[in-house]
Amino acid sequence: AAGVIQSPRHLIKEKRETATLKCYPIPRHDTVYWYQQGPGQDPQFLISFYEKMQSDKGSIPDRFSAQQFSDYHSELNMSSLELGDSALYFCASSNSQDQETQYFGPGTRLLVL
Amino acid sequence: GESVGLHLPTLSVQEGDNSIINCAYSNSASDYFIWYKQESGKGPQFIIDIRSNMDKRQGQRVTVLLNKTVKHLSLQIAATQPGDSAVYFCAETLPNRDDKIIFGKGTRLHILP
């Protein structure tokens, strides 16, 4: 079965640079979620989109923005990167018709030097 | 073996024994609970879920128990196998806020040969 696809899988950036993470949800899933997981930490919700509209917002810094496109894929844009942004970034997707189960992608590991 | 997930981040269990991972959730209004398994370098994988109108749900080799009185959730894994080694997260959502998963602190499960 198709799963959530994230790219890139690994990314190295320097401070103050920008990064764009991409997420391709499971086919027919209309909702995407972004989470950040620091080393040894639990995933923290950042933001979610349903039908290309932002549906909820969590602890996402103002330096970050995200959007969902007409094909339901989503991009997380991160600017003015800081050392503390180094983390695993997960995207999850769900089908609003199929209860609440969120399926997670493999994550993008971002390292800010 | 048994652990209080929030206070004992590591649980070691003999292969073949049953594992019990515990979790205390904070919000009495939470109405949907999920257990995720996260293997090293991978995204959280859905294991089993339960709604607040139930107190027990069984899957394949896994059982989730919910005690709303004391806001306690547990995951039981029968006949633990080496492939069960992972970090296990309990998670909750609030009514009408199913787009935001709140993860608890993970418990790392070690399987002893």
Side-chain angles (χ1 to χ4, degrees):
Chain A
V4 176
I5 298 172
Q6 290 187 247
S7 69
R9 292 295 312 278
H10 303 273
L11 190 58
I12 300 175
K13 290 286 184 177
E14 296 194 353
K15 283 194 308 183
R16 292 180 288 278
E17 286 191 321
T18 62
T20 298
L21 278 53
K22 297 185 179 182
C23 168
Y24 298 86
I26 292 171
R28 291 180 295 282
H29 281 195
D30 50 15
T31 309
V32 293
Y33 317 79
W34 286 97
Y35 293 85
Q36 178 192 59
Q37 186 177 30
Q41 304 296 312
D42 52 288
Q44 295 290 316
F45 173 76
L46 292 177
I47 196 168
S48 61
F49 292 87
Y50 166 66
E51 286 289 345
K52 291 151 281 183
M53 299 287 290
Q54 181 183 308
S55 55
D56 199 1
K57 196 171 181 179
S59 51
I60 184 170
D62 291 341
R63 299 177 289 108
F64 294 5
S65 65
Q67 57 182 327
Q68 185 181 30
F69 296 86
S70 57
D71 63 352
Y72 296 104
H73 94 272
S74 178
E75 295 184 3
L76 177 66
N77 299 295
M78 311 160 72
S79 63
S80 302
L81 286 168
E82 302 174 356
L83 297 178
D85 296 328
S86 296
L88 267 169
Y89 291 84
F90 290 106
C91 172
S93 74
S94 69
N95 183 332
S96 58
Q97 302 299 314
D98 185 25
Q99 304 294 316
E100 310 86 349
T101 306
Q102 295 183 23
Y103 296 88
F104 283 75
T108 294
R109 185 175 293 279
L110 173 66
L111 177 62
V112 181
L113 302 175
Chain B
E2 183 176 84
S3 91
V4 177
L6 292 179
H7 303 292
L8 291 175
T10 302
L11 173 66
S12 296
V13 175
Q14 206 76 33
E15 182 179 348
D17 285 354
N18 297 333
S19 303
I20 301 175
I21 302 173
N22 294 305
C23 177
Y25 62 93
S26 55
N27 198 323
S28 57
S30 294
D31 65 347
Y32 177 64
F33 304 89
I34 318 111
W35 279 100
Y36 282 95
K37 171 186 179 183
Q38 187 176 24
E39 296 174 279
S40 180
K42 296 184 178 180
Q45 177 187 359
F46 173 90
I47 303 174
I48 193 168
D49 58 2
I50 188 168
R51 290 213 154 273
S52 58
N53 60 353
M54 303 171 67
D55 53 21
K56 181 179 180 178
R57 190 162 188 223
Q58 284 185 292
Q60 196 172 32
R61 273 201 317 119
V62 294
T63 301
V64 55
L65 298 177
L66 175 63
N67 185 330
K68 295 180 288 294
T69 304
V70 294
K71 293 189 288 186
H72 183 268
L73 193 68
S74 71
L75 176 71
Q76 300 178 5
I77 305 173
T80 311
Q81 303 169 359
D84 295 328
S85 289
V87 175
Y88 289 81
F89 291 98
C90 64
E92 59 187 304
T93 69
L94 295 167
N96 302 317
R97 293 293 303 277
D98 297 326
D99 55 350
K100 179 180 178 179
I101 290 178
I102 303 167
F103 282 85
K105 301 303 178 187
T107 296
R108 179 174 296 280
L109 180 63
H110 281 296
I111 312 304
L112 304 171

